[in-house]
Amino acid sequence: MGDECIKSEHNNDMSLKTGGEMIGIRGEYQGVKIPIGRGISLGRDPETAQLVFNNQKVSRQHCSITFEEETETYYVLDYSQNGIMRENGAR
């Protein structure tokens, strides 16, 4: 997502079962803890995104992250043409 970079951490309190949080590691959300809950959408368009980026390298509707409680698994659905990058820089 351009110069934006966010990592996620899982909520280890199994009684909550609500997913984890993302932590901005650079860009406009650097150092910010963002709860994922059961899901969150990311992008530039405030009409469709719950987490809005003010960066032209981020698509209007960039991606969504969902948490499946049964398997304790996160799923990332990429809507962008630019792709998404993991913390290690891989797409």
Side-chain angles (χ1 to χ4, degrees), residues 84-91:
I84 54 175
M85 296 181 76
R86 291 181 269 186
E87 185 177 4
N88 65 5
R91 289 193 186 262

Side-chain angles (χ1 to χ4, degrees), residues 49-86:
Q50 295 166 306
L51 183 61
V52 178
F53 291 87
N54 296 312
N55 183 325
Q56 291 300 312
K57 293 181 181 179
V58 176
S59 299
R60 286 179 296 128
Q61 189 175 12
H62 200 85
C63 70
S64 64
I65 302 170
T66 56
F67 177 68
E68 184 179 286
E69 290 181 33
E70 274 186 33
T71 60
E72 296 184 15
T73 304
Y74 292 95
Y75 293 96
V76 178
L77 183 56
D78 182 8
Y79 304 115
S80 73
Q81 292 182 352
N82 298 329
I84 54 175
M85 296 181 76
R86 291 181 269 186

Side-chain angles (χ1 to χ4, degrees), residues 18-63:
T18 58
E21 62 186 15
M22 298 184 294
I23 302 171
I25 56 176
R26 66 174 179 253
E28 64 191 282
Y29 290 103
Q30 182 174 358
V32 178
K33 291 184 178 186
I34 303 143
I36 297 172
R38 289 189 171 85
I40 189 169
S41 59
L42 291 75
R44 266 191 355 253
D45 184 356
E47 296 293 318
T48 60
Q50 295 166 306
L51 183 61
V52 178
F53 291 87
N54 296 312
N55 183 325
Q56 291 300 312
K57 293 181 181 179
V58 176
S59 299
R60 286 179 296 128
Q61 189 175 12
H62 200 85
C63 70

